[in-house]
Every structure is written in C-alpha cells, then in structure tokens.
Amino acid sequence: GRDAINGAGANSALGVTLQNCSINHSNNSSIVLNSNFEGAVIQSNNIKNTAWKQGMSAMNAFGIDAKGKNTLVSYNSLDSSAYIGIQYFGDGTTISNNFITNFDVYLTDGGGIYTWNGWGGAVKSNLKVLNNIIINRHTDIGDVGIYLDDWSNNIEVTGNSVAGCGSGMSAGNAF
C-alpha cells in the first residue's frame, strides 16, 4: 500500500492510540491521521525509510502526519523521511521528546517538524513543540529543523535541539 497507517477515510475517531509500532519502508507516508482524529496519541513508535523509493510517493512522504486537535506526538524515533518527519495542524497539539534524523532526503521546503496554516489562516491555540532532537546528516541549505510555515501562530517552541540543518528554525509569515 501507499501509507503504512492511513486514517484518511474515517468519518470520526476520538482518542485513537498508535503506540509501539515499527514501520519500515512505507511507500508514501508512515502514519496519516486526518483532522477527524481528535485526541490521538502517537507515541513510542519506530519509523524508518519513509517514501524511500523515488517515484512511489504521492508527494506527501511524511513520517507522521497528524492533523487532528488535541493530538500528542511523543517519544517517537523517525529516521530517513523523503520529506517531512512530523507534520501537525490541530489546536492543542503537542509534539514532544521525538528523535528525528534525516529528512528532506528527496524533497525540499519541509522540515524535521513542520506546520503551516494556509494563506491567512485562522488563529490557532495551545500548540507546543517541546524537547525534540532533530539531526539532518545530508545537510542542504534549505533544510529546516523546526519549520513554522505560512501564517503559523500561537506555538510554543522550547527545549529543542537541532543540528546539521540549513536553519534550526524558520517562521515564515508566522505570528
């Protein structure tokens, strides 16, 4: 299949937990939970080689793509993502204590941890990126450890360590 775990077709799912999973060589993304997955916990997973075979990806290629509100993404290990390590969107989401290595391997304009809020998007609340370690070993000047893209807002970024990236953090049009 394209994605290892994909909840895109679900109408609604509250409090889903994905824990202690091992995912290696997914063709596109490893874990995808859309905005209907509120209160999800994605914790203590080991994810490697996301979208590693060129041409198999649908241009998403996320290690973890968590779009629901009040999501916790913590204590995951992600290595070698063709694009983004962890992407998140929903209010009340916390991304904490993750270990991310080697992202943007084939694609660019992403990050180890990435969010955006559209063009002139809504005001967000209670987003946190805390105590993550991000190391990129194939350094490209465009690689960003923590990328708060267009109109990202109200995000606490504290205690993270970033190495081997073109930029440790970027906040493009963020407020």
Side-chain angles (χ1 to χ4, degrees), residues 120-161:
V123 174
K124 298 286 186 171
S125 65
N126 200 27
L127 295 162
K128 297 178 182 178
V129 178
L130 311 171
N131 307 314
N132 299 282
I133 298 172
I134 303 166
I135 302 169
N136 216 14
R137 293 190 179 109
H138 75 277
T139 307
D140 181 278
I141 196 165
D143 296 339
V144 179
I146 299 170
Y147 196 166
L148 311 178
D149 207 354
D150 290 329
W151 301 99
S152 297
N153 58 80
N154 293 318
I155 303 169
E156 175 186 348
V157 179
T158 305
N160 300 283
S161 297

